[in-house]
């Protein structure tokens, strides 16, 4: 259900992730469904909720549940300057958070910085592709020297569904 392409499905998934006791495997697959690369427009409303909730989830659950949430709900498929600023703000505001959750957020932030640098470099020389998923265009990907592999995998995935 978490991968269903609707706001309602994402909302019910988020509610289950943040208010119920889930097994490690169910939580993992729900996180992979709610935060997937081709539905970032649907995940966008949960970025602020993620930063508001991640520490509570970490502190109140087992290590595995907390780590999975911190890693898999991090907005890694939406590397934007705004999301980077949100990660930086969380780090500054939560200096006394446990080392584990801090490391997860810092690793996500560092990966986001790298992605933004790669996107900047690719804009210099790139080809644009529209990737259709279902009946709607979800993302436009740019193929450049460092992003070509990711684009081809995602385009292949889409073609395999047709």
């Amino acid at each position: 259900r978490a991968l269903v392409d609707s706001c309602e499905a994402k909302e019910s998934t988020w509610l289950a992730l943040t208010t119920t006791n889930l097994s490690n495997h169910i939580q993992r697959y729900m996180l992979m469904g709610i935060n997937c690369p081709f539905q970032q427009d649907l995940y966008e409303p949960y970025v602020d909720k993620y930063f508001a909730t991640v520490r509570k989830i970490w502190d109140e659950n087992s290590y595995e549940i907390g780590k999975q949430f911190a890693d898999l709900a991090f907005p890694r498929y939406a590397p934007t300057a705004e999301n980077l600023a949100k990660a930086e703000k969380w780090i500054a505001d939560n200096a006394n958070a446990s080392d584990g959750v801090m490391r997860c957020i810092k690793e996500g932030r560092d990966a986001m910085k790298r992605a933004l640098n790669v996107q900047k470099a690719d804009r210099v020389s790139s080809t644009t592709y529209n990737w259709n998923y279902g009946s709607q265009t979800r993302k436009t990907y740019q193929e450049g020297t460092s992003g070509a592999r990711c684009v081809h995998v995602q385009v292949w995935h889409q073609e395999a569904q047709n």
Side-chain angles (χ1 to χ4, degrees), residues 35-124:
N35 186 16
C36 62
F38 52 88
Q39 292 179 340
Q40 284 303 292
D41 55 330
L42 294 172
Y43 188 67
E44 184 178 346
Y46 300 97
V47 173
D48 288 335
K49 292 178 183 183
Y50 166 80
F51 287 112
T53 309
V54 65
R55 185 171 178 176
K56 180 180 186 287
I57 297 290
W58 184 279
D59 290 343
E60 296 178 1
N61 292 279
S62 69
Y63 170 80
E64 188 62 26
I65 293 291
K67 181 157 177 26
Q68 282 184 159
F69 187 86
D71 286 341
L72 298 178
F74 189 89
R76 65 191 180 281
Y77 298 120
T80 65
E82 294 81 18
N83 287 343
L84 179 61
K86 290 173 186 180
E88 295 282 6
K89 181 177 179 347
W90 188 94
I91 291 166
D93 291 348
N94 291 274
N96 63 344
S98 71
D99 291 341
V101 70
M102 185 62 75
R103 180 174 178 173
C104 290
I105 303 298
K106 285 181 176 180
E107 286 177 352
R109 178 220 37 207
D110 292 347
M112 191 175 285
K113 280 183 181 179
R114 288 188 296 274
L116 288 170
N117 287 334
V118 167
Q119 288 174 0
K120 185 177 178 181
D122 279 351
R123 276 189 227 112
V124 175

